[in-house]
Amino acid sequence: MAFVKVISGTAKGQKILIDRDEVIIGRDPENVIPIEDVAASSRHCAILREGRKYTLHDLESTNGTRLNGVRITEYRLSPKDIITVGGTELLFDGDDIEAEDAVPHHTQRSNVTVRIDAAEIAAEEIPFQAKRDNKTVWYLVVGALVALALIAGAWYLVCLFKTG
């Protein structure tokens, strides 16, 4: 049977069986998996069961739901996935889970669909950006200084010949 084990936070070590078709996770104590975390929404996310397939679905939470470090809106779960709700991490596992792809762990998955929240992408800082080309700015600054020097030199010569 599938289960969720709390691996960080105040309920660390707690194991909850996924024994129904919808398991709500969040700060509300009425949830199947209540999370005592101020960064969690009251109804943060849900694990939906359909036969032996499990899907993690974000319930429009304020801080988003992460799966294996990636913010998602909906994603099909596999054994050993790490769900992050606020600052609390949960391990999803079990022996009766039909994973997305029936491939050994040593091979890479292909054709996996991930739905990522576009607002998250826009809000996050992109760590590697294209290098800015500052050459144009330097050319303008140097050009302005040269022009200023030529004007000053010309003015000096004009003043010199007027007095002499």
Side-chain angles (χ1 to χ4, degrees):
M1 175 172 275
F3 65 89
V4 169
K5 184 176 181 181
V6 182
I7 57 176
S8 73
T10 58
K12 183 177 180 178
Q14 185 178 7
K15 182 177 174 180
I16 303 100
L17 295 177
I18 308 295
D19 59 356
R20 54 189 80 182
D21 291 336
E22 181 180 63
V23 172
I24 304 295
I25 302 170
R27 205 175 61 242
D28 188 339
E30 298 296 317
N31 291 328
V32 176
I33 304 176
I35 302 292
E36 292 182 35
D37 188 325
V38 294
S41 296
S42 58
R43 290 176 46 89
H44 197 96
C45 61
I47 296 175
L48 307 173
R49 178 179 70 180
E50 191 175 321
R52 296 180 344 142
K53 298 175 184 176
Y54 297 82
T55 304
L56 178 64
H57 181 75
D58 182 68
L59 298 176
E60 298 181 8
S61 61
T62 302
N63 295 316
T65 301
R66 293 189 179 271
L67 182 66
N68 301 322
V70 177
R71 187 168 178 173
I72 57 95
T73 54
E74 185 175 278
Y75 191 82
R76 176 95 166 273
L77 291 167
S78 295
K80 308 292 185 207
D81 278 341
I82 303 292
I83 301 166
T84 306
V85 175
T88 303
E89 291 186 328
L90 311 159
L91 170 70
F92 175 79
D93 206 357
D95 56 5
D96 68 338
I97 301 165
E98 185 178 314
E100 180 70 23
D101 294 315
V103 295
H105 289 284
H106 65 276
T107 60
Q108 292 183 338
R109 290 185 185 185
S110 60
N111 300 325
V112 176
T113 302
V114 179
R115 293 186 191 120
I116 300 174
D117 188 353
E120 171 73 7
I121 293 170
E124 286 186 1
E125 182 179 320
I126 299 171
F128 301 104
Q129 295 181 355
K131 186 177 177 181
R132 286 183 161 175
D133 183 16
N134 293 328
K135 289 180 184 176
T136 306
V137 174
W138 282 108
Y139 289 142
L140 290 174
V141 169
V142 170
L145 288 174
V146 168
L148 193 60
L150 289 173
I151 291 171
W155 182 258
Y156 176 75
L157 290 175
V158 167
C159 290
L160 185 68
F161 285 117
K162 276 188 178 178
T163 59

